Amino acid sequence: MREFRYEKATDPAGAVATLTAAPEGAYLGGGTNLVDLMRLGVATPDVLVDVRQLTSTEVEDLPDGGLRIGAAVPNADLAAEPRVRERFPLLAQALLAGASGQLRNRATTGGNLLQRTRCTYFTDVTMPCNKRAPGSGCGAVAGYHRNLAVLGATNRGGDDGHTCIATHPSDMAVALRALDATVRVLGAEGERAVPIGELHRLPGEDPSRDTTLAHGELITAIDVPALPWATRSRYRKVRDRASYAFALVSVAAAMDLRGTGPDAVVADVRIALGGVAHVPWRATVAEDALRGGPATEEAFAAAVAAELAAADPLPENAFKLPMATNLVTRTLLQISGEARA
Amino acid sequence: MTALSDRPTTHAPAVGSDVRRIDGPAKVRGRAPYAYEHELDSSPAFVAIVQSPVARGRVVSIDASAAEALPGVLAVLTHENAPRLGEVVEEIRVLQSATVQYAGEPVAAVVAETSEVARDAIGRVVVRYDSEAPDVVLSVDRDDLYAPEQLMAGFETDSVIGDVDAALAAAPVAVDVTYATPVQHNQPIEMHATVARWDGDVLRMWDANQGPHNLVPVLTSAFGITEDQLHVVSPYVGGAFGSKAFTHVHQLLAGMAARVTGRTVKLELTRQQMSSLVGHRTPTIQRLRLGAEADGTLTAISHEVVEHTSRNAEFAEQTATATRLLYAAPARRTTHRLARLDVPAPTIMRAPGETPGVYALESAMDELAVALGMDPVELRVHNEPARDPERDVPWSSRNLVACLRQGAERFGWAGRDPRPRVREVGRRLVGTGVAASTYPTRRRPSQCRIEAVPGKATVVSIDASDIGTGAWTALTQIAADALGVAMAEVDLRIGDSRLPKASGAGGSTGTTSWGPAIQAAAQALRERVHAEHGGQLPAGGVVVTGSSGPGEEVERFSMHAFGAHFAEVRVDRDTGEVRVPRMTSVFAAGRIVNATTARSQFLGGMTMGLSMALHEESVLDAVHGHFANHDLAEYHVATNADVGEMDISWLDEVDEHVNPLGAKGIGEIGIVGAAAAIGNAYWHATGRRVRDLPITPEAFFRGE
Ligand SMILES: Cc1cc2nc3c(=O)[nH]c(=O)nc-3n(C[C@H](O)[C@H](O)[C@H](O)COP(=O)(O)OP(=O)(O)OC[C@H]3O[C@@H](n4cnc5c(N)ncnc54)[C@H](O)[C@@H]3O)c2cc1C
Ligand code: SF4
């Protein structure tokens, strides 16, 4: 643990200026992830710029029927927000499936998106980890990786400088990925809007970078565009215990079903998976396979199977494939069943 | 005061009544000081520990200059400069040599003005190692398995009666199955903490432990001091389960740091450090072979255990000892073999031995019931032994059958369809299971002093230990009855090495050891006042002592508590998630001193058993030799949401033989067998027999 300076800026631009000038500094949201990592010596910022009172704690209506969520909205408030519950039930469900009541009170929307992997080699500074200490190798591949990635990972055996099979642990981000949210970011050069699909990145050749944000860029808000049929949506999470555990596999799904009975057709569908990759994983292959087709168990299962064809599991986490197949199939059946009813 | 009449009648007996914890109000108000919270000094120093990432090797060099240069650092202790310790067991010879025997072994300690500086400084100590690949994987095929001289608590390593192999070969129905349990870690809510100070040549310690006197032999020997030069104070302890029973390295480091700096020092382990510095439950691999007649009569029981210990200690968990007494069978065998691995020393974890051992035996019994086509409750009842089957002595009392019957009744066992995977609620497969429980009844030598002065509360002093169990309350109840006064008139003093020596909290022996000592002292008081003061307490007061310890009952009887667990399990057929909506457990544990705190003990034990069944596993990394999932985000213990309806009851068991109190000890029996009931119910729900714990969701997908 390193000594650090604590700063409170007066406005977002001031915060950006302060952090841009401090290459080893960090923004502080609720601190529920960052402070833990500081205690462990994994994060060693010399300056903390507190942005919890600086960014918005409001959820505002967008003209199209969507919502703008301030970066400092606590996870608990967002989950309880009536407009979220009504328009985007999968988002409220995802938030409530995460962490614990105390943590959700403290954690912010911006911080949640940027929380780091729970890989136990990443959080232990005595272990090799390409994400924390680039080039040191990946301890997880030959070690404990039961809850790590089966999709999109870089796995060259663990001893090279690029291997990383970490997962992104956020539940909320999976729902936002399914909803095609946009992340509003303020940097030294001004504002930009980052589609959530472009915020997180796969490890590729540089596992040290979780996102495409530049140092000093501040998340100010998240825009969730309208999606009228998201009222029929769900977030389901498989975990080791009934509460307070990260997802082994999770799914955020919404479906636009046209017609009734056995002839009903999937006009559109959104599926994102958690617990399987370095990013909240949008199941575009499965979505494409389902669009325009029947809403049957066979079709759902086949679509997930197509999505998971690219998976490259390890012995300890191969169970995630049948688990994900069942989970997605069942969730889609539940949504289509409700739509029919 | 009425303390001294022969038959105290003015007060309703406190023992057996449902008294709330007397230390509760102080605890919820934050006024009960735990070890780390004792404010003894306005500017204590803080200790932080540098641990080896290497599991096997040696320290080649240590460069502490950068750490020492940090403002606020008072000292950096290493094996090169740390005070030499006197004779102590090898596993705690901390900073005495360059050898590294397990991942996480302390190689240096920083003492600093603040905990922040201490933690900053440990990152600046540069240590170089020579390392070898660690050997941490337990298996039955290892060629270095050995039979220890004896097991923990003095049990024989093996027991063999009759020709087991012949009986198994001849048995019309038999099972031959291997069960495995993983490394588990105690997770008391209070992390291990010590505040240490040298007042001249007297070492004072405010410490989280399971009995201050437990520390006395080790600390006096380590620091070359007499018992008079040591004072350990531990009034309140936030859970232990065995992890605070022995002296560990942090207590020695605190004493060394205080001596070197001349300061009061505070040392609290982090949760992560607890994985390597305060012990763990050994993993086990257990082969169970049971042979039976077609009517269910057991003809042979064989229970062979392989488990680990460390290079630097022999901790031989008594895993199969309960198998020596749970059921009748003419041919019987239990064995224990150990592998010495590059791991930290294992230690006690709630019901060491019985917990993993009865899990395996009771799971195998369920498999036998299935093979026989017999109800698992009836199979157990059918094999009830009239006497201890190996020692051939009578039971002091044994009510396993009554527990099974009452439990079956309360749970609604009758009419259970034995077929697996035929019940569903929604998408959940539903099953039920049963298992027996047992735990030895013992008492240990303990002494008590009573000081009675007219008009004042009677001071009852005994170095007992309340690790969260309710001993403060139970002992006050016992003392009040023994003295014939109200509880408010008892001034109990416990948790201090300067009090009369008593056994530690462990082995479910606290109440059974301390209670009779208090009763003996009260009896001595009564006799003294009658004999010397004509029945009237003299104005100057009276001081007496009393003691209690194991007697001839140990030889004459087989003394154990018993219990029965029933569990319902639901398994999500899509995701494999396992939930336990309800458990019913019935115990026969002698006299229950306090219904509230007893229920807490049973409930806590059952919850820990549920946690063992479904969640708890410390993963040893085969490459680095460390416990990879060493925090509470990754080492899962059951949360409230995992614990369903817990129906807990006990029999009004009277046992005159075990001790004058008639109590059997309740701290551990709740965990024993609980995991087997859940595993058996899992099979009944899914048709899948999972033979290695924990039963996590992926168990449902194995082989698919
Ligand atoms: C025991 C435990 C269990 C948990 N279980 C779950 C779970 O089941 N599911 C789940 O989804 N999560 C879980 N979490 C994680 C929790 O959701 C995150 O810790 C939390 O959302 C982070 O939010 P925060 O505001 O506290 O972030 P902080 O810790 O303050 O920050 C996290 C990161 O974001 C950066 N940051 C913060 N705000 C901004 C901003 N506005 N702009 C740019 N950068 C910013 C920080 O610099 C830091 O790098 C758990 C956490 C714990 C401790
Ligand atoms: S999986 Fe990624 S985060 Fe984990 S040890 Fe490997 S490189 Fe580090």
Side-chain angles (χ1 to χ4, degrees), chain A residues 19 25-37 48-49 51-52 55 71-72 75 94-95 97-100 103-104 106-116 118 169-173 213 216-221 235 237 239 241 244-247, chain B residues 632-633:
Chain A
L19 198 63
Y27 292 127
L28 177 69
T32 60
N33 187 223
L34 181 57
V35 174
D36 272 2
L37 294 175
L48 287 185
V49 182
V51 295
R52 202 147 151 268
T55 47
N75 290 178
L95 285 156
S100 66
L103 284 160
R104 293 194 296 269
R106 183 83 200 168
T108 63
T109 308
N112 188 319
L113 272 184
L114 299 188
Q115 62 175 291
R116 309 212 63 190
R118 309 303 293 202
S170 168
D171 292 300
M172 180 192 79
L213 295 185
E217 282 194 307
L218 174 72
I219 297 179
T220 54
Y235 185 78
K237 173 177 179 180
R239 45 186 150 176
R241 54 184 175 190
Y244 206 34
F246 289 92
Chain B
L632 289 177

Side-chain angles (χ1 to χ4, degrees), chain B residues 248-293:
Chain B
H248 297 291
V249 291
H250 65 281
Q251 288 138 330
L252 298 175
L253 284 172
M256 287 156 91
R259 179 166 260 179
V260 167
T261 59
R263 297 280 293 270
T264 302
V265 303
K266 290 193 164 194
L267 197 175
E268 181 180 47
L269 296 183
T270 63
R271 185 64 61 179
Q272 288 84 354
Q273 288 174 332
M274 286 168 60
S275 78
S276 49
L277 298 184
V278 296
H280 58 270
R281 193 198 296 283
T282 175
T284 68
I285 304 171
Q286 305 178 52
R287 183 173 181 192
L288 264 299
R289 281 176 281 179
L290 305 176
E293 304 288 357

Side-chain angles (χ1 to χ4, degrees), chain A residues 1 39-40 118 120-121 124 126-128 144 146 236-243 319 322-323 326 330, chain B residues 53 119-120 272 427 574-575 577 579 615 619 621 626 628 630 634 636-637 639 641-642 697-698 701:
Chain A
M1 174 131 195
R39 285 203 175 118
L40 293 166
R118 309 303 293 202
T120 60
Y121 299 82
D124 182 342
T126 66
M127 288 293 132
Y144 179 55
R146 167 176 177 262
R236 280 195 62 190
K237 173 177 179 180
V238 185
R239 45 186 150 176
D240 283 320
R241 54 184 175 190
S243 161
F319 70 89
M323 185 181 275
N326 288 357
R330 186 58 41 189
Chain B
R119 283 175 86 155
D120 186 347
Q272 288 84 354
R427 297 290 297 172
D574 299 313
T575 66
E577 287 165 293
R579 301 286 181 257
H615 307 303
V619 180
D621 178 304
H626 73 304
H630 55 201
E634 292 293 323
H636 288 160
V637 297
T639 64
D642 292 291
E698 65 257 47
F701 298 100

Side-chain angles (χ1 to χ4, degrees), chain A residues 14 19 33 63 67 107 113 138 161 166 182 195 205 217 220 257-258 266 289 320 331 335 338:
Chain A
L19 198 63
N33 187 223
L67 293 173
L113 272 184
C138 167
T182 300
E205 296 301 303
E217 282 194 307
T220 54
L257 198 71
R258 299 280 161 83
V266 178
K320 290 192 176 192
T331 305
I335 299 173
E338 278 164 22

Side-chain angles (χ1 to χ4, degrees), chain A residues 117 119 121-122 128-132 137-140 148 163-166 207:
Chain A
T117 184
C119 171
Y121 299 82
F122 174 72
C129 169
N130 286 327
K131 181 180 283 298
R132 174 176 37 74
C138 167
L148 298 186
T163 293
C164 179
I165 57 169

Side-chain angles (χ1 to χ4, degrees), chain B residues 191-382:
Chain B
M191 291 163 289
H192 295 61
T194 300
V195 182
R197 180 173 79 203
W198 287 87
D199 289 333
D201 60 0
V202 173
L203 173 61
R204 293 188 204 284
M205 251 187 206
W206 293 263
D207 180 67
N209 59 61
Q210 292 178 231
H213 266 96
N214 282 359
L215 274 59
V216 171
V218 182
L219 292 179
T220 50
S221 176
F223 292 109
I225 54 179
T226 63
E227 289 191 18
D228 293 340
Q229 290 170 281
L230 177 66
H231 188 188
V232 181
V233 185
S234 316
Y236 302 105
V237 179
F241 309 111
S243 70
K244 294 172 183 168
F246 299 133
T247 308
H248 297 291
V249 291
H250 65 281
Q251 288 138 330
L252 298 175
L253 284 172
M256 287 156 91
R259 179 166 260 179
V260 167
T261 59
R263 297 280 293 270
T264 302
V265 303
K266 290 193 164 194
L267 197 175
E268 181 180 47
L269 296 183
T270 63
R271 185 64 61 179
Q272 288 84 354
Q273 288 174 332
M274 286 168 60
S275 78
S276 49
L277 298 184
V278 296
H280 58 270
R281 193 198 296 283
T282 175
T284 68
I285 304 171
Q286 305 178 52
R287 183 173 181 192
L288 264 299
R289 281 176 281 179
L290 305 176
E293 304 288 357
D295 70 351
T297 307
L298 279 167
T299 54
I301 302 174
S302 171
H303 189 170
E304 295 156 289
V305 179
V306 171
E307 51 200 15
H308 82 202
T309 188
S310 60
R311 293 263 176 240
N312 61 11
E314 182 174 279
F315 184 93
E317 180 140 341
Q318 67 273 39
T319 301
T321 53
T323 301
R324 296 174 185 170
L325 62 101
L326 209 42
Y327 300 112
R332 38 205 311 136
R333 168 175 62 209
T334 60
T335 65
H336 297 79
R337 298 294 177 268
L338 301 183
R340 276 195 193 278
L341 304 183
D342 298 314
V343 295
T347 199
I348 298 168
M349 183 167 179
R350 206 170 197 164
E354 286 80 10
T355 297
V358 173
Y359 159 68
L361 173 63
E362 287 298 277
S363 301
M365 282 293 279
D366 200 64
E367 299 208 49
L368 181 65
V370 172
L372 286 161
M374 191 169 176
D375 179 83
V377 171
E378 297 310 323
L379 174 65
R380 288 171 171 88
V381 172
H382 187 73

